[in-house]
Structures are given as structure tokens and as C-alpha cells.
Amino acid sequence: TVHLLLVCCGRMQKRISSYTAILEPAEEGGYVAHVPMLPGCMTQGKTFEEARRNIQEAIRGYVAVLREDGDEVPVESGDAIMTTVRTPV
């Protein structure tokens, strides 16, 4: 979830957007995180919580750059469903 602050009529309002973030254990330890809806938006952290905080910050920065450049900010249409699929290969 991304928290963006907007100023309207002299008072602060929060605008909240949600993005699916995938956090996975890293081979070298810690966690890596990325957001499929935002290509290239990724980060890492020593702990799950640190990676979660870092991906929130990365999303805010990513969205800020899109807005500064006048590009459209992607919006997820609904909740994503994620599952593990096992198959012989």
C-alpha cells in the first residue's frame, strides 16, 4: 500500500493506492521485493519487514517519477491471486 499526501483546501488528505508486491528470500540472505505492475520497481532488505518498508518507499519514488515525467500511473484493477504451481519438468 502506498500512502501519498495531498493538500486540499488547506488540510492534508491521504491518498492510498495498493500494489501487489512479491517478497522472496534472497540466496545471500534477507529478502528481495518487486512490484509486477511497476517494471523495474524492486528493492531488498535484511528482514521481511525491512524489505516491506523498502518496497513501499520504492513504490512512492517510482510513482513520483512517473508523475514528474507526465506519465500515466498504473492502477491495479483488483486483488491479485497468487499460487504456487508444481509440475514435473
Side-chain angles (χ1 to χ4, degrees):
T1 303
V2 183
H3 301 280
L4 303 170
L5 295 178
L6 301 175
V7 178
C8 175
C9 308
R11 55 178 198 246
M12 296 290 252
Q13 296 180 0
K14 282 188 179 181
R15 178 175 175 192
I16 300 175
S17 298
S18 295
Y19 292 95
T20 300
I22 299 174
L23 286 79
E24 301 175 285
E27 288 182 22
E28 62 278 357
Y31 290 85
V32 294
H34 71 279
V35 179
M37 181 64 77
L38 306 174
C41 184
M42 59 183 60
T43 189
Q44 61 186 20
K46 291 181 182 177
T47 65
F48 182 88
E49 284 304 318
E50 181 181 20
R52 188 172 178 271
R53 285 190 306 268
N54 290 347
I55 199 64
Q56 286 178 307
E57 184 178 326
I59 292 167
R60 284 192 295 270
Y62 192 105
V63 169
V65 169
L66 289 175
R67 288 193 172 131
E68 287 173 12
D69 292 347
D71 295 328
E72 186 176 330
V73 176
V75 177
E76 287 193 4
S77 59
D79 292 332
I81 298 173
M82 188 177 304
T83 186
T84 299
V85 177
R86 297 175 193 254
T87 185
V89 290

